[in-house]
CSV table of all heavy atoms in Angstrom, one decimal:
chain,number,residue,atom,x,y,z
B,27,LEU,N,-2.6,-5.5,14.4
B,27,LEU,CA,-2.8,-4.2,14.9
B,27,LEU,C,-4.3,-4.0,15.1
B,27,LEU,O,-5.1,-4.6,14.3
B,27,LEU,CB,-2.3,-3.1,13.9
B,27,LEU,CG,-0.8,-3.0,13.6
B,27,LEU,CD1,-0.6,-1.9,12.6
B,27,LEU,CD2,-0.1,-2.6,14.9
B,28,PRO,N,-4.7,-3.3,16.1
B,28,PRO,CA,-6.2,-3.1,16.3
B,28,PRO,C,-6.8,-2.2,15.3
B,28,PRO,O,-6.3,-1.1,15.0
B,28,PRO,CB,-6.2,-2.5,17.7
B,28,PRO,CG,-4.9,-1.8,17.9
B,28,PRO,CD,-3.9,-2.6,17.1
B,29,ILE,N,-8.0,-2.6,14.7
B,29,ILE,CA,-8.7,-1.8,13.9
B,29,ILE,C,-9.5,-0.8,14.7
B,29,ILE,O,-10.1,-1.1,15.7
B,29,ILE,CB,-9.7,-2.6,13.0
B,29,ILE,CG1,-9.0,-3.6,12.1
B,29,ILE,CG2,-10.7,-1.8,12.2
B,29,ILE,CD1,-9.9,-4.5,11.4
B,30,GLY,N,-9.4,0.5,14.3
B,30,GLY,CA,-10.1,1.6,15.0
B,30,GLY,C,-9.2,2.7,15.5
B,30,GLY,O,-9.7,3.7,15.9
B,31,ASN,N,-7.9,2.4,15.5
B,31,ASN,CA,-6.9,3.5,16.0
B,31,ASN,C,-6.4,4.3,14.8
B,31,ASN,O,-6.1,3.7,13.7
B,31,ASN,CB,-5.8,2.8,16.7
B,31,ASN,CG,-6.2,2.3,18.1
B,31,ASN,OD1,-7.3,2.6,18.6
B,31,ASN,ND2,-5.4,1.5,18.7
B,32,LEU,N,-6.1,5.5,15.0
B,32,LEU,CA,-5.5,6.4,14.0
B,32,LEU,C,-4.2,5.9,13.6
B,32,LEU,O,-3.8,5.9,12.4
B,32,LEU,CB,-5.5,7.8,14.5
B,32,LEU,CG,-4.8,8.8,13.5
B,32,LEU,CD1,-5.5,9.0,12.2
B,32,LEU,CD2,-4.6,10.2,14.2
B,33,THR,N,-3.4,5.5,14.6
B,33,THR,CA,-2.0,5.0,14.3
B,33,THR,C,-2.1,3.7,13.5
B,33,THR,O,-1.2,3.5,12.7
B,33,THR,CB,-1.3,4.8,15.6
B,33,THR,OG1,-2.1,4.0,16.5
B,33,THR,CG2,-0.9,6.1,16.3
B,34,SER,N,-3.0,2.9,13.7
B,34,SER,CA,-3.1,1.6,12.9
B,34,SER,C,-3.4,1.9,11.4
B,34,SER,O,-2.8,1.2,10.6
B,34,SER,CB,-4.3,0.7,13.5
B,34,SER,OG,-4.0,0.3,14.8
B,35,GLN,N,-4.2,2.9,11.2
B,35,GLN,CA,-4.4,3.3,9.8
B,35,GLN,C,-3.1,3.8,9.1
B,35,GLN,O,-2.8,3.5,8.0
B,35,GLN,CB,-5.5,4.4,9.7
B,35,GLN,CG,-6.8,4.0,10.2
B,35,GLN,CD,-7.8,5.1,10.2
B,35,GLN,OE1,-8.0,5.8,9.2
B,35,GLN,NE2,-8.5,5.3,11.3
B,36,LEU,N,-2.4,4.6,9.9
B,36,LEU,CA,-1.1,5.2,9.3
B,36,LEU,C,-0.1,4.1,9.2
B,36,LEU,O,0.5,4.0,8.1
B,36,LEU,CB,-0.6,6.2,10.3
B,36,LEU,CG,0.8,6.8,10.0
B,36,LEU,CD1,0.7,7.6,8.6
B,36,LEU,CD2,1.3,7.8,11.1
B,37,PHE,N,0.0,3.2,10.2
B,37,PHE,CA,1.0,2.1,10.1
B,37,PHE,C,0.7,1.1,9.0
B,37,PHE,O,1.6,0.5,8.4
B,37,PHE,CB,1.1,1.4,11.4
B,37,PHE,CG,1.7,2.2,12.5
B,37,PHE,CD1,1.4,2.0,13.9
B,37,PHE,CD2,2.5,3.3,12.3
B,37,PHE,CE1,1.9,2.8,14.9
B,37,PHE,CE2,3.0,4.1,13.3
B,37,PHE,CZ,2.7,3.8,14.6
B,38,SER,N,-0.6,0.9,8.7
B,38,SER,CA,-1.0,0.0,7.7
B,38,SER,C,-0.5,0.5,6.3
B,38,SER,O,-0.1,-0.3,5.4
B,38,SER,CB,-2.5,-0.2,7.6
B,38,SER,OG,-3.2,1.0,7.2
B,39,ASN,N,-0.5,1.8,6.1
B,39,ASN,CA,0.0,2.4,4.9
B,39,ASN,C,1.5,2.2,4.8
B,39,ASN,O,2.1,2.0,3.7
B,39,ASN,CB,-0.4,3.9,4.8
B,39,ASN,CG,-1.2,4.1,3.6
B,39,ASN,OD1,-1.5,3.2,2.8
B,39,ASN,ND2,-1.6,5.4,3.4
B,40,VAL,N,2.2,2.5,5.9
B,40,VAL,CA,3.7,2.4,5.9
B,40,VAL,C,4.1,0.9,5.7
B,40,VAL,O,5.0,0.7,4.9
B,40,VAL,CB,4.2,2.8,7.3
B,40,VAL,CG1,5.7,2.6,7.4
B,40,VAL,CG2,3.9,4.3,7.6
B,41,TYR,N,3.4,0.0,6.2
B,41,TYR,CA,3.8,-1.4,6.1
B,41,TYR,C,3.7,-1.9,4.6
B,41,TYR,O,4.6,-2.6,4.1
B,41,TYR,CB,2.9,-2.3,6.9
B,41,TYR,CG,3.4,-3.7,7.2
B,41,TYR,CD1,4.5,-3.9,8.0
B,41,TYR,CD2,2.8,-4.8,6.7
B,41,TYR,CE1,5.0,-5.2,8.3
B,41,TYR,CE2,3.2,-6.1,7.0
B,41,TYR,CZ,4.4,-6.3,7.8
B,41,TYR,OH,4.9,-7.5,8.0
B,42,LEU,N,2.7,-1.5,3.9
B,42,LEU,CA,2.5,-1.9,2.5
B,42,LEU,C,3.1,-0.9,1.5
B,42,LEU,O,3.0,-1.2,0.3
B,42,LEU,CB,1.0,-2.0,2.2
B,42,LEU,CG,0.3,-3.3,2.7
B,42,LEU,CD1,-1.1,-3.4,2.2
B,42,LEU,CD2,1.1,-4.5,2.2
B,43,ASN,N,3.8,0.1,2.0
B,43,ASN,CA,4.5,1.0,1.1
B,43,ASN,C,5.6,0.2,0.4
B,43,ASN,O,6.0,0.5,-0.7
B,43,ASN,CB,5.1,2.1,1.9
B,43,ASN,CG,5.7,3.2,1.0
B,43,ASN,OD1,5.2,3.6,0.0
B,43,ASN,ND2,7.0,3.6,1.3
B,44,VAL,N,6.2,-0.8,1.0
B,44,VAL,CA,7.2,-1.7,0.4
B,44,VAL,C,6.6,-2.4,-0.9
B,44,VAL,O,7.2,-2.5,-1.9
B,44,VAL,CB,7.7,-2.8,1.4
B,44,VAL,CG1,8.7,-3.7,0.7
B,44,VAL,CG2,8.3,-2.1,2.6
B,45,LEU,N,5.3,-2.8,-0.7
B,45,LEU,CA,4.6,-3.4,-1.9
B,45,LEU,C,4.4,-2.4,-3.0
B,45,LEU,O,4.6,-2.7,-4.2
B,45,LEU,CB,3.3,-4.0,-1.5
B,45,LEU,CG,2.4,-4.5,-2.6
B,45,LEU,CD1,3.0,-5.7,-3.3
B,45,LEU,CD2,1.0,-4.8,-2.0
B,46,ASP,N,4.0,-1.2,-2.6
B,46,ASP,CA,3.8,-0.1,-3.6
B,46,ASP,C,5.1,0.2,-4.4
B,46,ASP,O,5.0,0.3,-5.6
B,46,ASP,CB,3.3,1.2,-2.9
B,46,ASP,CG,2.0,1.0,-2.2
B,46,ASP,OD1,1.3,0.1,-2.5
B,46,ASP,OD2,1.7,1.8,-1.3
B,47,GLN,N,6.2,0.3,-3.7
B,47,GLN,CA,7.5,0.5,-4.4
B,47,GLN,C,7.9,-0.6,-5.3
B,47,GLN,O,8.4,-0.4,-6.4
B,47,GLN,CB,8.6,0.8,-3.3
B,47,GLN,CG,8.3,1.9,-2.4
B,47,GLN,CD,8.1,3.3,-3.1
B,47,GLN,OE1,8.7,3.5,-4.1
B,47,GLN,NE2,7.3,4.1,-2.5
B,48,PHE,N,7.6,-1.8,-4.8
B,48,PHE,CA,7.9,-3.0,-5.7
B,48,PHE,C,7.1,-3.0,-7.0
B,48,PHE,O,7.7,-3.3,-8.0
B,48,PHE,CB,7.6,-4.3,-4.8
B,48,PHE,CG,7.8,-5.6,-5.6
B,48,PHE,CD1,9.0,-6.0,-6.0
B,48,PHE,CD2,6.6,-6.3,-6.0
B,48,PHE,CE1,9.2,-7.2,-6.7
B,48,PHE,CE2,6.8,-7.5,-6.7
B,48,PHE,CZ,8.0,-7.9,-7.1
B,49,VAL,N,5.8,-2.8,-6.9
B,49,VAL,CA,5.0,-2.8,-8.1
B,49,VAL,C,5.4,-1.6,-9.0
B,49,VAL,O,5.5,-1.8,-10.2
B,49,VAL,CB,3.5,-2.7,-7.7
B,49,VAL,CG1,2.6,-2.6,-8.9
B,49,VAL,CG2,3.1,-3.9,-6.9
B,50,LYS,N,5.6,-0.4,-8.5
B,50,LYS,CA,5.9,0.7,-9.3
B,50,LYS,C,7.3,0.7,-9.8
B,50,LYS,O,7.5,1.0,-11.0
B,50,LYS,CB,5.6,2.0,-8.5
B,50,LYS,CG,4.1,2.2,-8.1
B,50,LYS,CD,3.3,2.5,-9.3
B,50,LYS,CE,3.4,3.9,-9.8
B,50,LYS,NZ,2.5,4.3,-10.8
B,51,ARG,N,8.3,0.4,-9.0
B,51,ARG,CA,9.7,0.6,-9.4
B,51,ARG,C,10.2,-0.7,-10.0
B,51,ARG,O,10.9,-0.7,-11.0
B,51,ARG,CB,10.5,0.9,-8.1
B,51,ARG,CG,10.0,2.0,-7.3
B,51,ARG,CD,9.7,3.3,-8.0
B,51,ARG,NE,9.1,4.3,-7.1
B,51,ARG,CZ,8.5,5.4,-7.5
B,51,ARG,NH1,8.5,5.7,-8.7
B,51,ARG,NH2,8.0,6.2,-6.6
B,52,THR,N,10.0,-1.8,-9.4
B,52,THR,CA,10.6,-3.1,-9.8
B,52,THR,C,9.8,-3.7,-11.0
B,52,THR,O,10.3,-4.0,-12.1
B,52,THR,CB,10.7,-4.1,-8.7
B,52,THR,OG1,11.4,-3.6,-7.6
B,52,THR,CG2,11.4,-5.4,-9.2
B,53,LEU,N,8.5,-3.8,-10.8
B,53,LEU,CA,7.6,-4.4,-11.9
B,53,LEU,C,7.3,-3.4,-13.0
B,53,LEU,O,7.0,-3.8,-14.1
B,53,LEU,CB,6.3,-5.0,-11.3
B,53,LEU,CG,6.5,-6.1,-10.3
B,53,LEU,CD1,5.1,-6.5,-9.8
B,53,LEU,CD2,7.2,-7.3,-10.9
B,54,GLY,N,7.4,-2.1,-12.6
B,54,GLY,CA,7.2,-1.1,-13.6
B,54,GLY,C,5.8,-0.9,-14.1
B,54,GLY,O,5.5,-0.5,-15.2
B,55,GLU,N,4.8,-1.2,-13.2
B,55,GLU,CA,3.4,-1.1,-13.5
B,55,GLU,C,2.9,0.4,-13.3
B,55,GLU,O,3.0,0.9,-12.2
B,55,GLU,CB,2.6,-2.0,-12.6
B,55,GLU,CG,2.8,-3.5,-12.9
B,55,GLU,CD,2.6,-3.9,-14.3
B,55,GLU,OE1,1.6,-3.4,-14.9
B,55,GLU,OE2,3.3,-4.8,-14.8
B,56,ARG,N,2.5,0.9,-14.4
B,56,ARG,CA,2.1,2.3,-14.4
B,56,ARG,C,0.7,2.5,-13.8
B,56,ARG,O,0.4,3.5,-13.1
B,56,ARG,CB,2.1,2.9,-15.8
B,56,ARG,CG,1.7,4.3,-16.0
B,56,ARG,CD,1.8,4.8,-17.4
B,56,ARG,NE,1.4,6.2,-17.6
B,56,ARG,CZ,1.4,6.8,-18.8
B,56,ARG,NH1,1.7,6.1,-19.9
B,56,ARG,NH2,1.0,8.1,-18.8
B,57,TYR,N,-0.2,1.7,-14.1
B,57,TYR,CA,-1.6,1.8,-13.7
B,57,TYR,C,-1.9,0.9,-12.5
B,57,TYR,O,-2.5,-0.1,-12.6
B,57,TYR,CB,-2.6,1.5,-14.9
B,57,TYR,CG,-2.2,2.2,-16.1
B,57,TYR,CD1,-1.8,1.6,-17.3
B,57,TYR,CD2,-2.4,3.6,-16.2
B,57,TYR,CE1,-1.5,2.3,-18.4
B,57,TYR,CE2,-2.1,4.4,-17.3
B,57,TYR,CZ,-1.6,3.7,-18.5
B,57,TYR,OH,-1.3,4.4,-19.6
B,58,TYR,N,-1.5,1.4,-11.3
B,58,TYR,CA,-1.6,0.7,-10.1
B,58,TYR,C,-2.1,1.6,-9.0
B,58,TYR,O,-1.9,2.8,-9.0
B,58,TYR,CB,-0.2,0.2,-9.7
B,58,TYR,CG,-0.1,-0.3,-8.2
B,58,TYR,CD1,-0.5,-1.5,-7.9
B,58,TYR,CD2,0.5,0.6,-7.3
B,58,TYR,CE1,-0.4,-2.0,-6.5
B,58,TYR,CE2,0.6,0.1,-5.9
B,58,TYR,CZ,0.1,-1.1,-5.6
B,58,TYR,OH,0.2,-1.5,-4.3
B,59,GLY,N,-2.9,1.0,-8.1
B,59,GLY,CA,-3.4,1.8,-7.0
B,59,GLY,C,-3.8,0.8,-5.8
B,59,GLY,O,-4.0,-0.4,-6.0
B,60,ARG,N,-3.8,1.4,-4.6
B,60,ARG,CA,-4.1,0.6,-3.4
B,60,ARG,C,-4.9,1.4,-2.4
B,60,ARG,O,-4.5,2.6,-2.1
B,60,ARG,CB,-2.8,0.1,-2.8
B,60,ARG,CG,-3.0,-0.7,-1.5
B,60,ARG,CD,-1.7,-1.2,-0.9
B,60,ARG,NE,-0.8,-0.1,-0.6
B,60,ARG,CZ,-0.9,0.7,0.5
B,60,ARG,NH1,-1.9,0.4,1.4
B,60,ARG,NH2,-0.1,1.7,0.8
B,61,TYR,N,-5.9,0.8,-1.8
B,61,TYR,CA,-6.6,1.3,-0.7
B,61,TYR,C,-6.5,0.3,0.5
B,61,TYR,O,-7.1,-0.8,0.4
B,61,TYR,CB,-8.1,1.6,-1.0
B,61,TYR,CG,-8.8,2.3,0.1
B,61,TYR,CD1,-8.8,3.7,0.2
B,61,TYR,CD2,-9.5,1.5,1.1
B,61,TYR,CE1,-9.5,4.3,1.3
B,61,TYR,CE2,-10.1,2.1,2.1
B,61,TYR,CZ,-10.2,3.5,2.2
B,61,TYR,OH,-10.8,4.1,3.3
B,62,VAL,N,-5.7,0.6,1.5
B,62,VAL,CA,-5.4,-0.4,2.6
B,62,VAL,C,-4.9,-1.7,2.0
B,62,VAL,O,-3.8,-1.7,1.4
B,62,VAL,CB,-6.6,-0.6,3.5
B,62,VAL,CG1,-6.1,-1.3,4.8
B,62,VAL,CG2,-7.2,0.8,3.9
B,63,ASP,N,-5.7,-2.8,2.0
B,63,ASP,CA,-5.2,-4.1,1.5
B,63,ASP,C,-5.8,-4.5,0.2
B,63,ASP,O,-5.6,-5.6,-0.3
B,63,ASP,CB,-5.5,-5.2,2.6
B,63,ASP,CG,-6.9,-5.3,2.9
B,63,ASP,OD1,-7.7,-4.3,2.7
B,63,ASP,OD2,-7.3,-6.3,3.4
B,64,ASP,N,-6.6,-3.6,-0.4
B,64,ASP,CA,-7.2,-3.8,-1.7
B,64,ASP,C,-6.4,-3.1,-2.7
B,64,ASP,O,-6.2,-1.9,-2.6
B,64,ASP,CB,-8.7,-3.3,-1.8
B,64,ASP,CG,-9.6,-4.1,-0.8
B,64,ASP,OD1,-9.4,-5.3,-0.7
B,64,ASP,OD2,-10.5,-3.5,-0.2
B,65,PHE,N,-5.9,-3.8,-3.7
B,65,PHE,CA,-5.1,-3.1,-4.8
B,65,PHE,C,-5.4,-3.7,-6.1
B,65,PHE,O,-5.9,-4.8,-6.3
B,65,PHE,CB,-3.6,-3.2,-4.4
B,65,PHE,CG,-3.0,-4.6,-4.3
B,65,PHE,CD1,-2.3,-5.2,-5.3
B,65,PHE,CD2,-3.2,-5.2,-3.1
B,65,PHE,CE1,-1.7,-6.4,-5.1
B,65,PHE,CE2,-2.7,-6.5,-2.9
B,65,PHE,CZ,-1.9,-7.1,-3.9
B,66,PHE,N,-5.1,-2.9,-7.2
B,66,PHE,CA,-5.4,-3.3,-8.5
B,66,PHE,C,-4.2,-2.9,-9.5
B,66,PHE,O,-3.4,-2.0,-9.1
B,66,PHE,CB,-6.7,-2.6,-9.0
B,66,PHE,CG,-6.5,-1.1,-9.1
B,66,PHE,CD1,-6.0,-0.4,-10.2
B,66,PHE,CD2,-7.0,-0.3,-8.0
B,66,PHE,CE1,-5.9,1.0,-10.3
B,66,PHE,CE2,-6.8,1.1,-8.1
B,66,PHE,CZ,-6.3,1.7,-9.2
């Protein structure tokens, strides 16, 4: 996806929402956060 478009920023969040749900729901990690592709 091209960097610089509003839709690319939105879609990047949608794409990694699967990862967010996996970490929070499946792995059960309480102290988790993500900014685009950087997460902890």
